[in-house]
């Protein structure tokens, strides 16, 4: 389902280990312009019990963050079309309603110190590594 320019995917019932009570672990917004990587990461997060929203560009992601309840974690690519991931991260950190949000950057670009992310992964990276960090950071 598309809502506000982002896709919402309900958690998968395949993996009940994380979802015995019928509740999700939480929500994750994945902002990634590569559909293969985005879908792979979405499926892995769903398998762990997360509700996952995906956006393919920065402007839609920022709109989503401003108009919807904040997710429990944000997985962000830096090299996005239009509004880049670095600009989104600066907006998140400058917003008192979002500055607490755990941000995991997954990018193919060189990353400078002081970016403001909670964790940075350089592509290629195993989806399981990203999911594990989300599990550690997105504690309800």
């Amino acid at each position: 389902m598309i809502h506000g320019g982002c896709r919402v995917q309900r958690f998968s019932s395949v993996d009940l280990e994380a979802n015995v009570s019928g509740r999700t672990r939480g929500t994750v917004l994945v902002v990634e312009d590569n559909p293969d990587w985005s879908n792979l990461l979405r499926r892995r997060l769903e398998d762990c019990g997360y509700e996952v929203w995906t956006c393919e560009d920065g402007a839609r992601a920022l709109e989503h963050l401003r108009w919807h309840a904040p997710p429990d974690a944000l997985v962000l690519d830096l090299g996005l079309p239009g509004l880049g991931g670095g600009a989104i991260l600066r907006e998140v950190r400058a917003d008192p309603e979002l500055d607490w949000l755990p941000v995991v950057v997954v990018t193919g670009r060189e990353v400078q110190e002081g970016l403001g992310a909670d964790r940075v992964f350089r592509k290629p990276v195993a989806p399981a590594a990203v999911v594990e960090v989300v599990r550690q950071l997105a504690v309800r």
Side-chain angles (χ1 to χ4, degrees), residues 101-134:
L101 182 63
V103 178
V104 179
V105 167
V106 182
T107 187
R109 296 181 172 192
E110 283 291 323
V111 178
Q112 299 173 346
E113 291 292 320
L115 181 65
D118 294 280
R119 183 70 188 267
V120 177
F121 288 100
R122 183 94 189 264
K123 293 177 185 174
V125 60
V130 177
V131 170
E132 181 57 31
V133 169
V134 167

Side-chain angles (χ1 to χ4, degrees), residues 29-34 37 41 55-59 61 74-93 103-123 125:
L29 175 60
V30 175
V31 185
E32 170 62 59
D33 61 328
N34 179 321
W37 174 248
L41 192 54
C55 289
E56 295 178 357
D57 68 70
L74 172 62
V75 178
L76 181 63
D77 183 17
L78 294 182
L80 299 168
L83 184 66
I88 295 169
L89 186 51
R90 286 188 295 278
E91 291 281 336
V92 165
R93 292 301 183 233
V103 178
V104 179
V105 167
V106 182
T107 187
R109 296 181 172 192
E110 283 291 323
V111 178
Q112 299 173 346
E113 291 292 320
L115 181 65
D118 294 280
R119 183 70 188 267
V120 177
F121 288 100
R122 183 94 189 264
K123 293 177 185 174
V125 60

Side-chain angles (χ1 to χ4, degrees), residues 5-82:
C6 295
R7 294 185 183 279
V8 63
Q9 305 288 334
R10 298 289 176 200
F11 65 92
S12 170
S13 59
V14 173
D15 179 9
L16 296 179
E17 168 263 325
N19 198 21
V20 174
S21 68
R23 296 176 46 213
T24 64
R25 282 184 181 267
T27 57
V28 178
L29 175 60
V30 175
V31 185
E32 170 62 59
D33 61 328
N34 179 321
D36 293 334
W37 174 248
S38 179
N39 287 329
L40 178 61
L41 192 54
R42 176 188 50 80
R43 284 192 308 270
R44 295 291 173 89
L45 286 162
E46 287 174 343
D47 287 347
C48 289
Y50 290 97
E51 181 177 336
V52 179
W53 292 78
T54 60
C55 289
E56 295 178 357
D57 68 70
R60 287 188 175 154
L62 199 52
E63 179 182 329
H64 178 84
L65 288 167
R66 289 184 174 149
W67 292 102
H68 297 89
D72 295 297
L74 172 62
V75 178
L76 181 63
D77 183 17
L78 294 182
L80 299 168

